[in-house]
Amino acid sequence: MKSFSVKYTILLVSLFGLLAWLSAGCVTPRSVGANPSTGIVGAVDSTNAADAKSGSGGAQATQPSIPQPEASASDGKAIAASSSEASGGKGEQSTPAAKPVGQTPAVPKDGASTAKQAASSQGPSTTTDKSAQAGTPGKAAKPAKGKAASTISPADAAYVSKNLATISTGVLDNGIPVIIKRNSANRVFSIKVVLKGHTAFTPLEKAGIEGITLAAMTRGSAKYSYDNLQALQYATSSSIGGSSGSYDLTSFDLVTLDKYFDTLFDAYADCFLHPGFDGKQFDQVLRSWKIDYQKMMSDPYSRATTKLHAAEFASLPYAADFHGTEASLSSITLADVRAYYADFFAPERMSIVAVGDFEPSSLLAKLNASFGKMAKKGIALPPPPKLVVKGNVIFEEFPASEGLAYLRGDFSLPPLGSADSTALKLGFSMLDDLLFEYVRIRHGACYSVWSQTFDARAPYGTIGIFKTKVPEDVKKYVDEAVDALASGKCIAAGNRENGSIVPIADSIDFYKAKFINGFFSAQETNASIGGQIAASDYIFGDYSYYLKTAERIDAVSPEDIERAVNKYLKNAPIEWIVLGEKDMLDKVDRSQFLQ
């Protein structure tokens, strides 16, 4: 009996340990939401959807994001990511696939919402001007100065004000801007070195090289062997890793507890500033990327997304797929990685975001003594690209789809930060429910369907249809849902199961609350908040942009949604792909996708 009790005690302890490990972010299922280990929430689009299509509708259209990884069995790096600032609480349906990199041992989870952090954080005072980001090289961090708000409710104003008071900025001696959000609600320290521009600096024939470089950097440095790094991270429940799942940004991240910060920072900085680039470790990284690529291209929806983007982004700086390609992954060498690091890991591309209970001036001094010593390389950041979508449809034969077809349509979105952009984000939360109602419930035409927006510097949106047996009919069912929203209709608040269609005005408050709740849910960790700050800073040009999400959503009217949906979706060109077996594709009328 004693032996029996001991066995089950050990089993229970093991299960609780596993749950703690999962909640810490070491293993992340293929789902939308921030990954505690890197916290990058992202304007990243996906390829991998296979594990996520629960048939419950799509992920909500959302706000500033950078990629966040999902752990992979291959090398501890992630292969799926979110594209949202807020997921609307629906889980992964569009599966934006990130390519996070590096080992991700268990990571402490701080678990505090931004609202709670704002109430309890101590930090410098602030003003309503953003000029402080210029800072004084190598000096103590200055209070942050966010852009002034327009009309704003007292509750929204209080939230923004409290959070701005916890943010300070500075600039290192070599010009690297630093943004520090002080949070005394927990003991987790998160630092993110952000590299701007990503695929704009990637040669097409070397697609994926920046992510591979970041992965190789986690596997040894001048002072720390790979085994040393792994042991150190495991012993302290910390994480040193990277993410490359965005066309616009990559990052190199540290998440640790305050008491381990000095030790972990030394290893983290050495990995970035003095990477070992060991040949055997590089071979392991490259092998892992090749395996992930093969898995991605074996998944029908992932393959469809990859093929669509190859055509859609051919003339953009996004042409070099951050996952890599079969050709690029076969050609990238260790010499290429060393050369890419030497040429493109430069202060001109970098910013640093820190979230935790830091003393700003002390942290700035530590950063200046390390990252501030990097030499400039004369690199200029690329201007924002412009995506021009032309109505088209691609038919992709894929015999392995097993009697099912997969569809995706991409379209351009209005300028980021515009009233139409915000209206579409809220509108797509409604469109998700309408698509589910019309395409799945009324017509039984697919397993899952969703819509999503992506806050890339060239913003775009998508409609995805996952597993359909009637590709020849599904487009007209999608049109029924879009027509409903474009005519000012949506699902009745809280009654998706009943499928009641009502004027947008009757349900808009419900959808606003749902969206804003999703926004706050995406801020569970210091690392995820850091990701939102980084995306806001580079993609939107204002590091405090994410704080004003509730304000912008509250300002949207039913007329705003109707106008934006008609202009940017119903009456706009869409680039489609239909993937499936040949006999299924032969039934599809090309003209219906070009209307």
Side-chain angles (χ1 to χ4, degrees):
M1 188 68 181
K2 181 178 180 180
S3 175
F4 178 84
S5 301
V6 169
K7 286 181 181 178
Y8 276 88
T9 300
I10 292 172
L11 177 60
L12 287 172
V13 170
S14 300
L15 287 172
F16 282 119
L18 177 60
L19 289 172
W21 189 57
L22 289 169
S23 68
C26 185
V27 175
T28 308
R30 297 181 189 281
S31 60
V32 165
N35 181 310
S37 66
T38 65
I40 300 200
V41 182
V44 52
D45 191 4
S46 167
T47 54
N48 199 328
D51 298 312
K53 305 303 169 285
S54 64
S56 60
Q60 301 299 330
T62 53
Q63 294 243 10
S65 345
I66 329 180
Q68 60 228 345
E70 165 192 329
S72 159
S74 59
D75 190 26
K77 69 176 178 295
I79 45 180
S82 161
S83 68
S84 336
E85 180 182 39
S87 67
K90 284 178 128 180
E92 181 195 40
Q93 293 297 324
S94 59
T95 45
K99 190 77 167 172
V101 292
Q103 298 296 105
T104 53
V107 180
K109 183 173 182 179
D110 50 57
S113 72
T114 297
K116 183 176 180 181
Q117 294 163 4
S120 59
S121 296
Q122 303 295 322
S125 60
T126 185
T127 68
T128 55
D129 180 329
K130 191 168 176 277
S131 60
Q133 189 164 349
T136 302
K139 304 299 181 182
K142 292 188 176 184
K145 298 183 178 182
K147 292 181 180 177
S150 52
T151 339
I152 183 170
S153 72
D156 289 343
Y159 169 75
V160 172
S161 178
K162 286 179 180 179
N163 275 274
L164 283 175
T166 68
I167 300 176
S168 54
T169 64
V171 176
L172 305 186
D173 287 342
N174 54 5
I176 298 175
V178 179
I179 305 167
I180 304 168
K181 187 178 194 306
R182 194 163 189 176
N183 175 22
S184 59
N186 61 70
R187 295 177 55 193
V188 176
F189 280 10
S190 168
I191 291 188
K192 211 174 279 301
V193 173
V194 179
L195 291 160
K196 305 170 184 178
H198 193 186
T199 57
F201 295 105
T202 304
L204 194 59
E205 67 275 12
K206 300 297 179 184
I209 193 170
E210 185 152 308
I212 291 171
T213 302
L214 288 166
M217 289 163 61
T218 69
R219 300 181 73 91
S221 67
K223 291 166 58 177
Y224 296 85
S225 69
Y226 175 66
D227 290 340
N228 292 153
L229 288 170
Q230 290 305 292
L232 179 61
Q233 291 173 82
Y234 183 82
T236 60
S237 189
S238 302
S239 174
I240 295 173
S243 176
S244 60
S246 163
Y247 294 104
D248 297 308
L249 301 174
T250 63
S251 72
F252 195 70
D253 309 317
L254 168 64
V255 179
T256 189
L257 291 172
D258 51 4
K259 63 181 178 179
Y260 302 128
F261 177 68
D262 287 341
T263 300
L264 266 295
F265 181 84
D266 183 72
Y268 168 73
D270 202 53
C271 285
F272 191 94
L273 299 172
H274 309 289
F277 291 139
D278 175 78
K280 290 183 179 179
Q281 296 300 331
F282 168 76
D283 290 342
Q284 291 288 336
V285 168
L286 192 59
R287 184 178 301 112
S288 174
W289 276 63
K290 288 178 179 178
I291 291 170
D292 285 346
Y293 180 79
Q294 290 169 357
K295 289 179 180 177
M296 182 180 75
M297 296 305 286
S298 297
D299 175 79
Y301 187 82
S302 301
R303 188 181 188 90
T305 300
T306 301
K307 295 290 185 178
L308 179 62
H309 284 175
E312 182 181 353
F313 298 153
S315 62
L316 292 182
Y318 297 167
D321 190 336
F322 52 74
H323 301 94
T325 65
E326 184 175 3
S328 71
L329 295 178
S330 297
S331 70
I332 292 174
T333 66
L334 181 56
D336 292 330
V337 165
R338 286 173 172 159
Y340 187 86
Y341 173 85
D343 292 341
F344 294 109
F345 278 54
E348 295 93 328
R349 290 186 59 200
M350 293 167 58
S351 64
I352 298 176
V353 178
V355 182
D357 195 13
F358 293 104
E359 202 295 306
S361 59
S362 296
L363 177 60
L364 194 64
K366 182 183 285 285
L367 292 169
N368 201 49
S370 49
F371 293 94
K373 303 301 182 184
M374 293 180 68
K376 291 185 177 182
K377 298 177 182 177
I379 293 175
L381 290 174
K386 181 174 177 58
L387 175 63
V388 178
V389 172
K390 299 177 181 179
N392 188 30
V393 58
I394 299 168
F395 291 111
E396 178 73 14
E397 289 187 28
F398 191 59
S401 61
E402 299 178 343
L404 296 168
Y406 301 77
L407 292 81
R408 173 172 171 138
D410 283 4
F411 43 91
S412 299
L413 290 181
L416 292 173
S418 66
D420 280 348
S421 176
T422 303
L424 280 176
K425 293 177 191 303
L426 183 58
F428 271 44
S429 180
M430 300 173 182
L431 182 59
D432 267 350
D433 288 346
L434 286 166
L435 286 167
F436 189 78
E437 170 64 24
Y438 281 97
V439 184
R440 171 159 171 158
I441 300 299
R442 296 191 181 186
H443 297 290
C446 68
Y447 179 65
S448 188
V449 58
W450 64 92
S451 61
Q452 193 160 8
T453 65
F454 295 98
D455 286 330
R457 297 187 86 202
Y460 63 100
T462 190
I463 292 175
I465 298 100
F466 186 80
K467 292 185 177 179
T468 179
K469 293 184 177 181
V470 287
E472 67 273 19
D473 295 325
V474 74
K475 169 62 164 56
K476 63 187 177 186
Y477 306 147
V478 168
D479 289 343
E480 290 178 18
V482 172
D483 288 346
L485 188 59
S487 63
K489 300 293 194 298
C490 69
I491 299 291
N495 287 314
R496 191 171 91 166
E497 292 78 8
N498 299 329
S500 302
I501 307 298
V502 299
I504 289 175
D506 292 359
S507 289
I508 193 168
D509 289 342
F510 165 80
Y511 280 102
K512 286 180 178 181
K514 181 180 179 181
F515 190 102
I516 293 169
N517 284 339
F519 161 71
F520 286 113
S521 295
Q523 299 191 27
E524 293 182 344
T525 66
N526 289 352
S528 62
I529 294 169
Q532 292 185 343
I533 293 172
S536 293
D537 180 50
Y538 182 54
I539 295 175
F540 292 87
D542 174 10
Y543 58 78
S544 67
Y545 182 88
Y546 79 104
L547 293 174
K548 299 159 191 174
T549 296
E551 170 193 349
R552 289 189 298 274
I553 292 297
D554 282 338
V556 175
S557 70
E559 294 76 21
D560 292 334
I561 294 171
E562 188 174 343
R563 180 192 65 251
V565 169
N566 274 284
K567 182 176 181 180
Y568 292 98
L569 181 55
K570 179 177 170 60
N571 299 315
I574 300 178
E575 187 106 4
W576 285 95
I577 187 167
V578 185
L579 179 144
E581 296 174 342
K582 185 179 185 304
D583 61 342
M584 300 191 80
L585 300 182
D586 289 342
K587 299 176 185 178
V588 179
D589 179 6
R590 175 183 294 270
S591 65
Q592 66 177 308
F593 291 92
L594 305 179
Q595 296 172 356

